[in-house]
Amino acid sequence: MTDSARYHHGNLRPALLARAVEVIEVDGVRDMSLRRIARDLGVSHGAPQRHFSGKADLLDAVAKQGFTMLGEAYAETMRNVGGGDRLTALAVTYLEFSMARPELVQLMFTRKHSPVEGMDEAVAEAFRVPLEVIAEEQRRGNLIEGDPEQLGIYVVAVLHGLTSLANAGFITAGSSQSLLASAADHVLDGLRPR
Amino acid sequence: MTDSARYHHGNLRPALLARAVEVIEVDGVRDMSLRRIARDLGVSHGAPQRHFSGKADLLDAVAKQGFTMLGEAYAETMRNVGGGDRLTALAVTYLEFSMARPELVQLMFTRKHSPVEGMDEAVAEAFRVPLEVIAEEQRRGNLIEGDPEQLGIYVVAVLHGLTSLANAGFITAGSSQSLLASAADHVLDGLRPR
DNA sequence: ACCTGAACACCGTTCAAGT
DNA sequence: ACCTGAACACCGTTCAAGT
């Protein structure tokens, strides 16, 4: 079997997707082109069209893949955290995940996801673990009552906002430590004096 | 003076910048090309290079312009709000500003701003008013003590995160109303039971 | 000083043709 | 069914030439 025949058996699509994720993580979205991905994989520039209807379609698939990766990172954290503060551990996981691949995360939260096959399921699966932990902490009386999903969205918004500001350079490396610590306090205790 | 000579007097740069902002607001960053902007203004595709060193340079200028616009929106709000809750009014101003032009705001918070002439000043000016109001509310005892700038960054992070999630479609139009209301409560009172 | 227009190397997308 | 390669209309960037 020659090199050029390696992708004639249905595995070109996952290979294109994996390479696209890789390029976006390493070089950024700006350098992710269909022609470059095809070149990297040794296929012709027209080959991707058989598997993705266009560049936007591939980017949507990358975003979906990002949510799957995030969900796996959460699951990994849950396996490793013992009896500790699971909510904080998950928050740290999100911060590390998105600081390590800012452009991928930006893509995940940018696409007005046009109906992509399985996107909603990937998103739901990614946030399943955090939502379960939030509900659990509510039952234990460590968090206020209310719809766990709304609380979850709020927490994600805070984390996503913080990483966006950090990646944009508004939070310098020097101040990030104290800022993140105080942010954790603010989320729990609020900004109103008690 | 012929049409083609209209920009021979130093006003091509601001015209290019204004048109770029407009295209990004209306059609999105994806449709903003140097050649298209030049075409819209009736100059040759090489003309912009005399005023912006490249596409990235123009995008940086657009981001800076966005902060100037945000600062003006804050100032406008302060002129119109009477004795009401100025902090909430400013928060609403931010939400409306960024929901009206998501791609511009994304650009503002994306660029790892390479040293752009006057960028830091534009950012500082944009957030001057909110920071003043935060410091004032601290003096009145309506907000906890601490570095106003750190509190400001935290508040901006929450607002920016919420709009990002909304623009990504994670906050549906139906749930956005109750979510934003509860988010305001969460910011002030926190998620820990009192 | 400022803009034009040709030139170059890239892109996304389409589509007949090959295997 | 899957991939190739030519073709088309776009890009960003560079640069000699014009005014």
Side-chain angles (χ1 to χ4, degrees):
Chain A
M1 180 190 274
T2 69
D3 280 345
S4 63
R6 248 187 322 188
Y7 295 113
H8 282 259
H9 300 284
N11 53 339
L12 180 53
R13 199 198 131 99
L16 289 165
L17 179 55
R19 182 61 189 147
V21 169
E22 202 171 15
V23 169
I24 289 173
E25 285 183 331
V26 176
D27 298 327
V29 212
R30 220 183 126 73
D31 285 359
M32 204 292 278
S33 72
L34 287 173
R35 291 177 101 109
R36 187 247 172 107
I37 303 299
R39 211 184 304 127
D40 289 351
L41 262 49
V43 294
S44 76
H45 67 262
Q49 298 288 13
R50 192 66 44 170
H51 303 279
F52 298 98
S53 69
K55 186 176 183 179
D57 189 39
L58 174 55
L59 287 176
D60 283 340
V62 168
K64 181 182 146 192
Q65 176 69 12
F67 282 109
T68 302
M69 290 164 62
L70 179 58
E72 287 167 356
Y74 284 145
E76 172 74 11
T77 297
M78 292 300 281
R79 277 193 294 275
N80 294 336
V81 71
D85 183 345
R86 293 180 300 177
L87 208 49
T88 299
L90 290 175
V92 170
T93 298
Y94 180 84
L95 291 175
E96 287 174 349
F97 182 92
S98 60
M99 306 267 262
R101 40 187 81 75
E103 306 229 11
L104 175 61
V105 172
Q106 172 149 297
L107 195 64
M108 290 159 58
F109 288 99
T110 292
R111 307 266 100 197
K112 298 194 171 301
H113 40 214
S114 45
V116 179
E117 177 69 29
M119 175 65 93
D120 289 351
E121 289 76 5
V123 173
E125 173 58 22
F127 290 106
R128 189 176 51 79
V129 168
L131 287 183
E132 282 173 6
V133 172
I134 286 175
E136 171 68 16
E137 293 299 319
Q138 285 180 307
R139 280 192 293 274
R140 294 188 186 181
N142 294 330
L143 289 178
I144 60 174
E145 296 175 353
D147 180 11
E149 196 158 339
Q150 282 217 352
L151 253 60
I153 290 180
Y154 176 74
V155 173
V156 169
V158 176
L159 294 172
H160 183 64
L162 286 171
T163 54
S164 292
L165 263 55
N167 290 331
F170 292 107
I171 301 177
T172 64
S175 71
S176 71
Q177 203 71 351
S178 68
L179 189 74
L180 290 182
S182 66
D185 290 340
H186 297 335
V187 169
L188 287 174
D189 295 328
L191 300 183
R192 201 203 302 276
R194 312 214 145 202
Chain B
M1 179 190 273
T2 69
D3 279 345
S4 64
R6 248 186 321 186
Y7 294 113
H8 282 258
H9 300 283
N11 53 340
L12 179 55
R13 199 197 130 98
L16 289 165
L17 179 55
R19 183 61 190 148
V21 169
E22 202 171 14
V23 169
I24 289 173
E25 286 183 332
V26 176
D27 298 327
V29 213
R30 220 184 126 74
D31 285 359
M32 205 291 280
S33 73
L34 286 173
R35 292 177 102 110
R36 187 249 172 106
I37 302 299
R39 211 183 305 128
D40 290 350
L41 263 49
V43 295
S44 76
H45 68 262
Q49 300 285 15
R50 191 66 46 170
H51 303 280
F52 299 97
S53 70
K55 187 176 183 179
D57 190 39
L58 175 55
L59 287 176
D60 283 339
V62 167
K64 182 181 145 192
Q65 175 70 12
F67 282 109
T68 302
M69 291 164 62
L70 178 58
E72 288 167 355
Y74 285 145
E76 172 74 10
T77 297
M78 292 300 281
R79 277 194 295 276
N80 294 337
V81 71
D85 183 348
R86 292 180 300 176
L87 209 50
T88 300
L90 290 175
V92 170
T93 297
Y94 180 85
L95 291 175
E96 287 174 348
F97 182 92
S98 60
M99 305 267 263
R101 39 187 83 74
E103 305 229 8
L104 175 60
V105 172
Q106 171 148 298
L107 196 63
M108 292 159 57
F109 288 99
T110 292
R111 306 267 101 196
K112 299 195 173 297
H113 40 214
S114 45
V116 180
E117 178 69 30
M119 174 66 92
D120 290 350
E121 290 76 5
V123 172
E125 173 59 21
F127 290 106
R128 191 176 51 78
V129 168
L131 286 183
E132 283 173 5
V133 172
I134 285 176
E136 170 68 14
E137 294 298 320
Q138 286 180 307
R139 281 192 293 274
R140 293 190 186 180
N142 294 331
L143 290 179
I144 59 174
E145 295 175 355
D147 181 8
E149 197 157 341
Q150 282 216 355
L151 253 59
I153 290 180
Y154 175 74
V155 174
V156 169
V158 176
L159 294 172
H160 183 64
L162 287 171
T163 52
S164 292
L165 264 55
N167 291 331
F170 292 106
I171 302 177
T172 63
S175 70
S176 72
Q177 202 69 354
S178 68
L179 189 74
L180 290 182
S182 65
D185 290 339
H186 296 336
V187 170
L188 287 175
D189 296 326
L191 300 183
R192 201 204 303 276
R194 314 215 141 200

